[in-house]
Short mmCIF file of all heavy atoms in Angstrom, two decimals:
data_model
loop_
_atom_site.label_atom_id
_atom_site.label_comp_id
_atom_site.label_asym_id
_atom_site.label_seq_id
_atom_site.Cartn_x
_atom_site.Cartn_y
_atom_site.Cartn_z
N MET A 771 15.31 -4.93 -19.77
CA MET A 771 15.65 -6.31 -19.63
C MET A 771 14.95 -6.97 -18.40
O MET A 771 14.53 -8.08 -18.50
CB MET A 771 17.20 -6.43 -19.41
CG MET A 771 18.00 -6.19 -20.69
SD MET A 771 19.77 -6.19 -20.45
CE MET A 771 20.01 -7.94 -20.19
N LEU A 772 14.80 -6.15 -17.30
CA LEU A 772 14.14 -6.76 -16.15
C LEU A 772 12.65 -6.98 -16.47
O LEU A 772 12.16 -8.03 -16.09
CB LEU A 772 14.25 -5.77 -15.01
CG LEU A 772 15.64 -5.47 -14.46
CD1 LEU A 772 15.68 -4.43 -13.40
CD2 LEU A 772 16.20 -6.78 -13.82
N ASP A 773 12.01 -6.16 -17.29
CA ASP A 773 10.63 -6.36 -17.63
C ASP A 773 10.47 -7.61 -18.48
O ASP A 773 9.35 -8.27 -18.48
CB ASP A 773 10.08 -5.17 -18.38
CG ASP A 773 9.75 -3.99 -17.51
OD1 ASP A 773 9.69 -4.19 -16.21
OD2 ASP A 773 9.63 -2.88 -18.04
N LYS A 774 11.51 -7.99 -19.15
CA LYS A 774 11.43 -9.19 -20.03
C LYS A 774 11.87 -10.46 -19.35
O LYS A 774 12.06 -11.43 -19.93
CB LYS A 774 12.22 -8.94 -21.27
CG LYS A 774 11.71 -7.83 -22.14
CD LYS A 774 12.56 -7.66 -23.45
CE LYS A 774 11.92 -6.53 -24.16
NZ LYS A 774 12.64 -6.25 -25.51
N GLY A 775 12.10 -10.34 -18.02
CA GLY A 775 12.39 -11.51 -17.25
C GLY A 775 13.84 -11.83 -16.93
O GLY A 775 14.21 -12.77 -16.36
N ALA A 776 14.73 -10.92 -17.36
CA ALA A 776 16.19 -11.08 -17.09
C ALA A 776 16.39 -10.96 -15.50
O ALA A 776 15.77 -10.13 -14.98
CB ALA A 776 17.08 -10.12 -17.86
N GLY A 777 17.32 -11.65 -15.03
CA GLY A 777 17.66 -11.58 -13.61
C GLY A 777 18.53 -10.29 -13.36
O GLY A 777 19.22 -9.79 -14.29
N VAL A 778 18.41 -9.76 -12.13
CA VAL A 778 19.21 -8.60 -11.81
C VAL A 778 20.70 -8.84 -11.97
O VAL A 778 21.43 -7.95 -12.51
CB VAL A 778 18.92 -8.18 -10.30
CG1 VAL A 778 19.79 -7.04 -9.86
CG2 VAL A 778 17.48 -7.78 -10.14
N THR A 779 21.17 -10.00 -11.56
CA THR A 779 22.64 -10.29 -11.74
C THR A 779 23.06 -10.27 -13.20
O THR A 779 24.08 -9.69 -13.48
CB THR A 779 22.93 -11.63 -11.12
OG1 THR A 779 22.58 -11.58 -9.75
CG2 THR A 779 24.39 -11.96 -11.25
N ASP A 780 22.18 -10.90 -14.05
CA ASP A 780 22.52 -10.81 -15.49
C ASP A 780 22.56 -9.37 -16.04
O ASP A 780 23.50 -9.04 -16.76
CB ASP A 780 21.45 -11.63 -16.26
CG ASP A 780 21.56 -13.06 -16.00
OD1 ASP A 780 22.69 -13.57 -15.63
OD2 ASP A 780 20.59 -13.79 -16.17
N VAL A 781 21.56 -8.59 -15.63
CA VAL A 781 21.56 -7.21 -16.08
C VAL A 781 22.75 -6.44 -15.57
O VAL A 781 23.47 -5.72 -16.36
CB VAL A 781 20.31 -6.49 -15.57
CG1 VAL A 781 20.22 -4.98 -15.89
CG2 VAL A 781 19.03 -7.14 -16.18
N LYS A 782 23.12 -6.66 -14.30
CA LYS A 782 24.32 -5.98 -13.78
C LYS A 782 25.64 -6.38 -14.51
O LYS A 782 26.40 -5.53 -14.87
CB LYS A 782 24.44 -6.30 -12.27
CG LYS A 782 23.55 -5.55 -11.37
CD LYS A 782 23.86 -5.91 -9.93
CE LYS A 782 22.95 -5.13 -8.93
NZ LYS A 782 23.30 -5.40 -7.53
N ASN A 783 25.80 -7.66 -14.76
CA ASN A 783 26.88 -8.12 -15.49
C ASN A 783 27.05 -7.53 -16.90
O ASN A 783 28.11 -7.22 -17.32
CB ASN A 783 26.92 -9.64 -15.51
CG ASN A 783 27.15 -10.29 -14.12
OD1 ASN A 783 27.76 -9.64 -13.27
ND2 ASN A 783 26.76 -11.53 -13.96
N LYS A 784 25.93 -7.48 -17.57
CA LYS A 784 25.95 -6.93 -18.91
C LYS A 784 26.31 -5.39 -18.92
O LYS A 784 26.98 -4.98 -19.77
CB LYS A 784 24.60 -7.16 -19.65
CG LYS A 784 24.41 -8.60 -20.00
CD LYS A 784 23.17 -8.85 -20.76
CE LYS A 784 23.03 -10.37 -20.88
NZ LYS A 784 22.66 -10.91 -22.12
N LEU A 785 25.72 -4.69 -17.93
CA LEU A 785 26.03 -3.28 -17.85
C LEU A 785 27.45 -3.07 -17.45
O LEU A 785 28.14 -2.16 -18.00
CB LEU A 785 25.05 -2.63 -16.87
CG LEU A 785 23.64 -2.53 -17.25
CD1 LEU A 785 22.74 -2.08 -16.11
CD2 LEU A 785 23.45 -1.62 -18.47
N ILE A 786 28.03 -3.82 -16.53
CA ILE A 786 29.43 -3.68 -16.15
C ILE A 786 30.28 -3.99 -17.39
O ILE A 786 31.24 -3.31 -17.66
CB ILE A 786 29.77 -4.70 -14.98
CG1 ILE A 786 29.16 -4.12 -13.71
CG2 ILE A 786 31.24 -4.84 -14.84
CD1 ILE A 786 29.15 -5.13 -12.55
N ALA A 787 29.91 -5.00 -18.19
CA ALA A 787 30.68 -5.35 -19.39
C ALA A 787 30.59 -4.22 -20.44
O ALA A 787 31.55 -4.04 -21.25
CB ALA A 787 30.14 -6.66 -19.98
N SER A 788 29.58 -3.43 -20.31
CA SER A 788 29.40 -2.34 -21.26
C SER A 788 30.06 -1.03 -20.81
O SER A 788 29.94 0.01 -21.42
CB SER A 788 27.89 -2.02 -21.49
OG SER A 788 27.28 -3.12 -22.09
N GLY A 789 30.69 -1.15 -19.63
CA GLY A 789 31.40 0.07 -19.07
C GLY A 789 30.69 0.86 -18.01
O GLY A 789 31.24 1.90 -17.55
N TRP A 790 29.58 0.46 -17.54
CA TRP A 790 28.93 1.17 -16.44
C TRP A 790 29.59 0.85 -15.15
O TRP A 790 30.22 -0.20 -14.95
CB TRP A 790 27.48 0.65 -16.30
CG TRP A 790 26.50 1.11 -17.33
CD1 TRP A 790 26.57 0.96 -18.71
CD2 TRP A 790 25.22 1.71 -17.10
NE1 TRP A 790 25.51 1.52 -19.29
CE2 TRP A 790 24.63 1.91 -18.37
CE3 TRP A 790 24.54 2.00 -15.99
CZ2 TRP A 790 23.41 2.49 -18.47
CZ3 TRP A 790 23.24 2.62 -16.15
CH2 TRP A 790 22.78 2.83 -17.36
N ASN A 791 29.55 1.84 -14.20
CA ASN A 791 30.13 1.58 -12.99
C ASN A 791 29.03 1.07 -11.94
O ASN A 791 27.85 1.30 -12.17
CB ASN A 791 30.86 2.80 -12.32
CG ASN A 791 29.97 3.86 -11.86
OD1 ASN A 791 29.05 3.67 -11.07
ND2 ASN A 791 30.21 5.14 -12.30
N LYS A 792 29.48 0.30 -10.99
CA LYS A 792 28.59 -0.47 -10.11
C LYS A 792 27.64 0.52 -9.39
O LYS A 792 26.44 0.22 -9.18
CB LYS A 792 29.32 -1.28 -9.06
CG LYS A 792 28.52 -2.17 -8.17
CD LYS A 792 29.33 -3.00 -7.29
CE LYS A 792 28.54 -3.92 -6.45
NZ LYS A 792 27.19 -3.57 -6.09
N LYS A 793 28.11 1.71 -8.94
CA LYS A 793 27.22 2.57 -8.19
C LYS A 793 26.06 3.09 -9.08
O LYS A 793 24.86 3.09 -8.65
CB LYS A 793 28.01 3.76 -7.68
CG LYS A 793 27.15 4.80 -6.83
CD LYS A 793 28.01 5.97 -6.44
CE LYS A 793 27.05 6.94 -5.74
NZ LYS A 793 27.52 8.33 -5.79
N ASP A 794 26.34 3.41 -10.30
CA ASP A 794 25.30 3.87 -11.22
C ASP A 794 24.35 2.72 -11.56
O ASP A 794 23.11 2.94 -11.65
CB ASP A 794 25.93 4.35 -12.54
CG ASP A 794 26.63 5.69 -12.41
OD1 ASP A 794 26.38 6.41 -11.41
OD2 ASP A 794 27.43 6.01 -13.29
N ILE A 795 24.86 1.54 -11.69
CA ILE A 795 23.99 0.37 -11.95
C ILE A 795 23.00 0.13 -10.78
O ILE A 795 21.81 -0.01 -10.93
CB ILE A 795 24.79 -0.92 -12.12
CG1 ILE A 795 25.60 -0.77 -13.42
CG2 ILE A 795 23.93 -2.15 -12.17
CD1 ILE A 795 26.70 -1.88 -13.64
N ASP A 796 23.57 0.10 -9.58
CA ASP A 796 22.76 -0.12 -8.39
C ASP A 796 21.64 0.96 -8.23
O ASP A 796 20.52 0.73 -7.93
CB ASP A 796 23.61 -0.16 -7.09
CG ASP A 796 24.45 -1.45 -7.02
OD1 ASP A 796 24.12 -2.43 -7.72
OD2 ASP A 796 25.43 -1.43 -6.32
N GLU A 797 22.09 2.24 -8.42
CA GLU A 797 21.03 3.37 -8.35
C GLU A 797 19.99 3.21 -9.39
O GLU A 797 18.79 3.40 -9.08
CB GLU A 797 21.76 4.70 -8.51
CG GLU A 797 22.58 5.18 -7.29
CD GLU A 797 23.26 6.41 -7.49
OE1 GLU A 797 23.00 7.19 -8.38
OE2 GLU A 797 24.12 6.71 -6.63
N SER A 798 20.39 2.82 -10.59
CA SER A 798 19.40 2.68 -11.69
C SER A 798 18.43 1.54 -11.39
O SER A 798 17.25 1.59 -11.62
CB SER A 798 20.12 2.47 -13.03
OG SER A 798 20.91 3.61 -13.33
N ILE A 799 18.98 0.44 -10.90
CA ILE A 799 18.12 -0.71 -10.64
C ILE A 799 17.16 -0.39 -9.44
O ILE A 799 15.98 -0.76 -9.61
CB ILE A 799 18.94 -1.99 -10.37
CG1 ILE A 799 19.54 -2.45 -11.74
CG2 ILE A 799 18.10 -3.11 -9.76
CD1 ILE A 799 20.51 -3.58 -11.68
N ASN A 800 17.69 0.23 -8.45
CA ASN A 800 16.83 0.64 -7.36
C ASN A 800 15.74 1.54 -7.89
O ASN A 800 14.55 1.40 -7.41
CB ASN A 800 17.58 1.36 -6.28
CG ASN A 800 18.39 0.35 -5.38
OD1 ASN A 800 17.98 -0.83 -5.29
ND2 ASN A 800 19.46 0.84 -4.78
N LEU A 801 16.05 2.48 -8.68
CA LEU A 801 15.05 3.43 -9.23
C LEU A 801 13.96 2.66 -9.96
O LEU A 801 12.81 2.91 -9.78
CB LEU A 801 15.74 4.43 -10.11
CG LEU A 801 14.86 5.52 -10.65
CD1 LEU A 801 14.31 6.42 -9.51
CD2 LEU A 801 15.62 6.40 -11.58
N VAL A 802 14.35 1.73 -10.82
CA VAL A 802 13.37 0.93 -11.55
C VAL A 802 12.51 0.13 -10.62
O VAL A 802 11.27 0.07 -10.79
CB VAL A 802 14.07 0.02 -12.61
CG1 VAL A 802 13.11 -0.96 -13.22
CG2 VAL A 802 14.73 0.85 -13.71
N ARG A 803 13.05 -0.54 -9.67
CA ARG A 803 12.32 -1.32 -8.75
C ARG A 803 11.28 -0.44 -8.02
O ARG A 803 10.09 -0.87 -7.81
CB ARG A 803 13.22 -2.04 -7.81
CG ARG A 803 13.96 -3.20 -8.34
CD ARG A 803 14.86 -3.78 -7.34
NE ARG A 803 15.25 -5.15 -7.75
CZ ARG A 803 16.22 -5.83 -7.15
NH1 ARG A 803 16.90 -5.33 -6.08
NH2 ARG A 803 16.58 -7.01 -7.61
N VAL A 804 11.73 0.63 -7.52
CA VAL A 804 10.77 1.53 -6.73
C VAL A 804 9.73 2.17 -7.67
O VAL A 804 8.54 2.25 -7.24
CB VAL A 804 11.54 2.63 -5.98
CG1 VAL A 804 10.64 3.61 -5.30
CG2 VAL A 804 12.42 1.94 -4.90
N GLU A 805 10.02 2.50 -8.87
CA GLU A 805 9.16 3.00 -9.81
C GLU A 805 8.03 1.97 -10.08
O GLU A 805 6.82 2.26 -10.10
CB GLU A 805 9.78 3.36 -11.17
CG GLU A 805 10.45 4.71 -11.01
CD GLU A 805 11.21 5.09 -12.32
OE1 GLU A 805 11.51 4.14 -13.12
OE2 GLU A 805 11.57 6.20 -12.48
N LYS A 806 8.45 0.66 -10.17
CA LYS A 806 7.44 -0.45 -10.37
C LYS A 806 6.49 -0.58 -9.18
O LYS A 806 5.32 -0.79 -9.24
CB LYS A 806 8.09 -1.75 -10.68
CG LYS A 806 8.80 -1.77 -12.03
CD LYS A 806 7.80 -1.82 -13.10
CE LYS A 806 8.54 -1.90 -14.45
NZ LYS A 806 7.60 -1.70 -15.55
N PHE A 807 7.17 -0.48 -7.98
CA PHE A 807 6.35 -0.49 -6.74
C PHE A 807 5.35 0.62 -6.67
O PHE A 807 4.14 0.40 -6.38
CB PHE A 807 7.31 -0.42 -5.54
CG PHE A 807 6.59 -0.20 -4.27
CD1 PHE A 807 5.93 -1.22 -3.59
CD2 PHE A 807 6.54 1.10 -3.69
CE1 PHE A 807 5.34 -1.01 -2.37
CE2 PHE A 807 5.89 1.32 -2.46
CZ PHE A 807 5.21 0.20 -1.80
N VAL A 808 5.72 1.84 -7.04
CA VAL A 808 4.85 2.95 -7.03
C VAL A 808 3.76 2.83 -8.04
O VAL A 808 2.56 3.09 -7.67
CB VAL A 808 5.68 4.33 -7.29
CG1 VAL A 808 4.77 5.45 -7.54
CG2 VAL A 808 6.60 4.57 -6.15
N GLU A 809 4.12 2.35 -9.23
CA GLU A 809 3.00 2.06 -10.24
C GLU A 809 2.00 1.09 -9.71
O GLU A 809 0.75 1.38 -9.92
CB GLU A 809 3.60 1.48 -11.50
CG GLU A 809 4.41 2.49 -12.30
CD GLU A 809 5.14 1.84 -13.47
OE1 GLU A 809 4.82 0.68 -13.87
OE2 GLU A 809 6.03 2.54 -14.09
N GLY A 810 2.44 0.08 -9.04
CA GLY A 810 1.44 -0.90 -8.42
C GLY A 810 0.65 -0.33 -7.35
O GLY A 810 -0.56 -0.55 -7.31
N MET A 811 1.23 0.55 -6.56
CA MET A 811 0.40 1.19 -5.43
C MET A 811 -0.57 2.17 -6.03
O MET A 811 -1.70 2.21 -5.57
CB MET A 811 1.34 1.89 -4.49
CG MET A 811 2.27 0.98 -3.64
SD MET A 811 1.30 -0.13 -2.53
CE MET A 811 1.33 -1.63 -3.33
N VAL A 812 -0.19 2.90 -7.03
CA VAL A 812 -1.08 3.90 -7.63
C VAL A 812 -2.24 3.18 -8.33
O VAL A 812 -3.36 3.58 -8.14
CB VAL A 812 -0.33 4.85 -8.62
CG1 VAL A 812 -1.24 5.64 -9.57
CG2 VAL A 812 0.66 5.74 -7.95
N SER A 813 -1.92 2.03 -8.94
CA SER A 813 -2.99 1.27 -9.64
C SER A 813 -3.99 0.74 -8.63
O SER A 813 -5.13 0.38 -8.99
CB SER A 813 -2.45 0.20 -10.44
OG SER A 813 -1.95 -0.88 -9.66
N LYS A 814 -3.63 0.56 -7.40
CA LYS A 814 -4.45 0.15 -6.36
C LYS A 814 -5.22 1.22 -5.60
O LYS A 814 -5.95 1.01 -4.71
CB LYS A 814 -3.70 -0.69 -5.26
CG LYS A 814 -3.11 -2.01 -5.77
CD LYS A 814 -2.30 -2.68 -4.75
CE LYS A 814 -1.76 -3.96 -5.37
NZ LYS A 814 -0.92 -4.71 -4.34
N GLY A 815 -4.96 2.41 -6.10
CA GLY A 815 -5.60 3.60 -5.55
C GLY A 815 -4.97 4.21 -4.33
O GLY A 815 -5.53 5.10 -3.64
N ILE A 816 -3.73 3.84 -4.06
CA ILE A 816 -3.02 4.41 -2.91
C ILE A 816 -2.58 5.84 -3.26
O ILE A 816 -2.03 6.02 -4.38
CB ILE A 816 -1.80 3.53 -2.51
CG1 ILE A 816 -2.18 2.07 -2.36
CG2 ILE A 816 -1.10 4.09 -1.25
CD1 ILE A 816 -3.12 1.76 -1.18
N SER A 817 -2.76 6.77 -2.35
CA SER A 817 -2.38 8.13 -2.65
C SER A 817 -0.79 8.33 -2.69
O SER A 817 -0.09 7.60 -2.00
CB SER A 817 -2.93 9.13 -1.58
OG SER A 817 -2.29 8.96 -0.37
N VAL A 818 -0.39 9.42 -3.46
CA VAL A 818 1.03 9.69 -3.52
C VAL A 818 1.58 9.97 -2.12
O VAL A 818 2.66 9.48 -1.77
CB VAL A 818 1.24 10.85 -4.51
CG1 VAL A 818 2.71 11.35 -4.38
CG2 VAL A 818 0.88 10.48 -5.93
N LYS A 819 0.83 10.69 -1.30
CA LYS A 819 1.23 11.02 0.04
C LYS A 819 1.51 9.72 0.81
O LYS A 819 2.51 9.62 1.48
CB LYS A 819 0.18 11.92 0.73
CG LYS A 819 0.51 12.28 2.12
CD LYS A 819 -0.62 13.11 2.73
CE LYS A 819 -0.39 13.46 4.16
NZ LYS A 819 -1.39 14.14 4.79
N ASP A 820 0.57 8.77 0.75
CA ASP A 820 0.81 7.54 1.50
C ASP A 820 1.93 6.72 0.94
O ASP A 820 2.66 6.06 1.66
CB ASP A 820 -0.52 6.71 1.47
CG ASP A 820 -1.61 7.30 2.36
OD1 ASP A 820 -1.22 8.14 3.27
OD2 ASP A 820 -2.75 6.99 2.18
N ILE A 821 2.11 6.68 -0.35
CA ILE A 821 3.20 5.97 -0.98
C ILE A 821 4.57 6.58 -0.52
O ILE A 821 5.47 5.83 -0.12
CB ILE A 821 3.09 6.02 -2.49
CG1 ILE A 821 1.92 5.24 -2.96
CG2 ILE A 821 4.46 5.34 -3.13
CD1 ILE A 821 1.55 5.40 -4.46
N LYS A 822 4.65 7.88 -0.51
CA LYS A 822 5.86 8.56 0.00
C LYS A 822 6.13 8.18 1.39
O LYS A 822 7.26 7.91 1.79
CB LYS A 822 5.81 10.07 -0.17
CG LYS A 822 5.88 10.51 -1.65
CD LYS A 822 5.84 12.03 -1.74
CE LYS A 822 6.07 12.51 -3.11
NZ LYS A 822 6.09 13.97 -3.14
N LYS A 823 5.09 8.15 2.23
CA LYS A 823 5.22 7.72 3.66
C LYS A 823 5.71 6.31 3.77
O LYS A 823 6.62 6.05 4.58
CB LYS A 823 3.79 7.88 4.29
CG LYS A 823 3.93 7.96 5.82
CD LYS A 823 2.53 8.03 6.45
CE LYS A 823 1.76 9.26 6.00
NZ LYS A 823 0.46 9.49 6.73
N MET A 824 5.24 5.40 2.91
CA MET A 824 5.71 3.96 2.95
C MET A 824 7.14 3.92 2.59
O MET A 824 7.92 3.22 3.22
CB MET A 824 4.94 3.17 1.90
CG MET A 824 3.52 2.82 2.33
SD MET A 824 2.85 1.71 1.04
CE MET A 824 1.39 2.68 0.54
N LEU A 825 7.50 4.69 1.57
CA LEU A 825 8.94 4.66 1.14
C LEU A 825 9.91 5.14 2.22
O LEU A 825 10.96 4.65 2.41
CB LEU A 825 9.09 5.43 -0.24
CG LEU A 825 8.43 4.73 -1.42
CD1 LEU A 825 8.47 5.74 -2.67
CD2 LEU A 825 9.01 3.44 -1.75
N ARG A 826 9.48 6.29 2.81
CA ARG A 826 10.37 6.82 3.96
C ARG A 826 10.44 5.78 5.01
O ARG A 826 11.50 5.63 5.68
CB ARG A 826 9.70 8.16 4.44
CG ARG A 826 9.87 9.28 3.47
CD ARG A 826 9.43 10.58 4.13
NE ARG A 826 9.42 11.60 3.10
CZ ARG A 826 8.27 12.02 2.45
NH1 ARG A 826 7.18 11.49 2.73
NH2 ARG A 826 8.44 12.96 1.53
N LYS A 827 9.33 5.11 5.37
CA LYS A 827 9.33 4.18 6.44
C LYS A 827 10.32 3.01 6.09
O LYS A 827 10.89 2.46 7.00
CB LYS A 827 7.94 3.60 6.68
CG LYS A 827 7.82 2.76 7.84
CD LYS A 827 6.30 2.40 8.13
CE LYS A 827 6.22 1.48 9.31
NZ LYS A 827 4.85 1.16 9.64
N LYS A 828 10.47 2.70 4.83
CA LYS A 828 11.40 1.59 4.40
C LYS A 828 12.80 2.10 4.27
O LYS A 828 13.67 1.36 3.99
CB LYS A 828 10.91 1.04 3.04
CG LYS A 828 9.65 0.21 3.18
CD LYS A 828 9.92 -1.01 3.90
CE LYS A 828 8.68 -1.86 3.96
NZ LYS A 828 8.85 -3.08 4.71
N GLY A 829 13.03 3.40 4.55
CA GLY A 829 14.42 3.88 4.57
C GLY A 829 14.85 4.68 3.40
O GLY A 829 16.02 5.12 3.34
N TRP A 830 13.97 4.83 2.43
CA TRP A 830 14.37 5.65 1.17
C TRP A 830 14.45 7.11 1.58
O TRP A 830 13.65 7.61 2.36
CB TRP A 830 13.31 5.45 0.09
CG TRP A 830 13.35 3.96 -0.43
CD1 TRP A 830 12.44 3.09 -0.21
CD2 TRP A 830 14.35 3.40 -1.23
NE1 TRP A 830 12.74 1.88 -0.78
CE2 TRP A 830 13.91 2.12 -1.43
CE3 TRP A 830 15.54 3.83 -1.77
CZ2 TRP A 830 14.68 1.16 -2.21
CZ3 TRP A 830 16.27 2.95 -2.54
CH2 TRP A 830 15.88 1.59 -2.77
N LYS A 831 15.44 7.81 1.07
CA LYS A 831 15.65 9.22 1.37
C LYS A 831 14.80 10.06 0.41
O LYS A 831 14.48 9.62 -0.65
CB LYS A 831 17.18 9.57 1.12
CG LYS A 831 18.10 8.72 1.99
CD LYS A 831 18.02 9.01 3.47
CE LYS A 831 19.07 8.23 4.24
NZ LYS A 831 18.64 8.04 5.61
N ASP A 832 14.51 11.29 0.95
CA ASP A 832 13.69 12.17 0.15
C ASP A 832 14.18 12.55 -1.24
O ASP A 832 13.46 12.64 -2.15
CB ASP A 832 13.42 13.48 0.92
CG ASP A 832 12.39 13.30 2.06
OD1 ASP A 832 11.56 12.39 2.01
OD2 ASP A 832 12.42 14.11 3.04
N ASP A 833 15.47 12.65 -1.34
CA ASP A 833 16.00 12.98 -2.68
C ASP A 833 15.74 11.87 -3.66
O ASP A 833 15.47 12.08 -4.84
CB ASP A 833 17.54 13.36 -2.65
CG ASP A 833 18.41 12.17 -2.10
OD1 ASP A 833 17.95 11.42 -1.26
OD2 ASP A 833 19.53 12.20 -2.52
N PHE A 834 15.84 10.65 -3.23
CA PHE A 834 15.54 9.47 -4.11
C PHE A 834 14.05 9.46 -4.43
O PHE A 834 13.64 9.25 -5.54
CB PHE A 834 15.94 8.17 -3.39
CG PHE A 834 15.73 7.01 -4.26
CD1 PHE A 834 16.73 6.69 -5.23
CD2 PHE A 834 14.65 6.14 -4.12
CE1 PHE A 834 16.51 5.53 -6.04
CE2 PHE A 834 14.46 5.09 -4.92
CZ PHE A 834 15.40 4.78 -5.86
N ILE A 835 13.21 9.63 -3.38
CA ILE A 835 11.73 9.63 -3.54
C ILE A 835 11.32 10.74 -4.57
O ILE A 835 10.48 10.54 -5.44
CB ILE A 835 11.05 9.79 -2.17
CG1 ILE A 835 11.27 8.50 -1.31
CG2 ILE A 835 9.54 9.92 -2.40
CD1 ILE A 835 10.85 8.69 0.10
N ASN A 836 11.94 11.89 -4.38
CA ASN A 836 11.55 12.99 -5.28
C ASN A 836 11.95 12.71 -6.70
O ASN A 836 11.27 13.29 -7.57
CB ASN A 836 12.18 14.27 -4.79
CG ASN A 836 11.59 14.76 -3.46
OD1 ASN A 836 10.38 14.43 -3.16
ND2 ASN A 836 12.33 15.49 -2.71
N ARG A 837 12.90 11.93 -6.97
CA ARG A 837 13.26 11.60 -8.37
C ARG A 837 12.12 10.77 -9.01
O ARG A 837 11.91 10.85 -10.18
CB ARG A 837 14.58 10.77 -8.40
CG ARG A 837 15.79 11.55 -8.11
CD ARG A 837 17.01 10.73 -8.04
NE ARG A 837 17.33 10.09 -9.29
CZ ARG A 837 18.24 9.12 -9.46
NH1 ARG A 837 18.90 8.68 -8.38
NH2 ARG A 837 18.39 8.49 -10.55
N ILE A 838 11.44 10.01 -8.22
CA ILE A 838 10.40 9.20 -8.73
C ILE A 838 9.04 10.02 -8.99
O ILE A 838 8.36 9.83 -9.98
CB ILE A 838 10.06 7.98 -7.75
CG1 ILE A 838 11.23 7.17 -7.70
CG2 ILE A 838 8.80 7.28 -8.12
CD1 ILE A 838 11.26 6.23 -6.55
N PHE A 839 8.87 10.99 -8.13
CA PHE A 839 7.61 11.84 -8.20
C PHE A 839 7.95 13.25 -8.81
O PHE A 839 7.47 14.24 -8.29
CB PHE A 839 7.00 11.98 -6.90
CG PHE A 839 6.45 10.72 -6.29
CD1 PHE A 839 7.23 9.91 -5.36
CD2 PHE A 839 5.19 10.28 -6.68
CE1 PHE A 839 6.70 8.73 -4.93
CE2 PHE A 839 4.65 9.01 -6.18
CZ PHE A 839 5.42 8.32 -5.31
N LYS A 840 8.70 13.29 -9.82
CA LYS A 840 9.12 14.54 -10.40
C LYS A 840 7.99 15.04 -11.32
O LYS A 840 7.07 14.45 -11.76
CB LYS A 840 10.38 14.47 -11.16
CG LYS A 840 10.53 13.26 -12.07
CD LYS A 840 11.91 13.28 -12.69
CE LYS A 840 12.08 11.81 -13.27
NZ LYS A 840 13.20 11.62 -13.96
#
């Protein structure tokens, strides 16, 4: 839905209405956002090592980062 232009609030509201809990929604949306960021950085030729360093600097924890680079 986000790729098709839906707003984050709309997506969250629809997921809550479908029975998802807020924590799972927030984690999933964060994962999608960071995956998109990573895809953009990789397409620009940024190394995985440097991308991980950027994510850590922004406060993302290693367990979250590792989910992206599995």
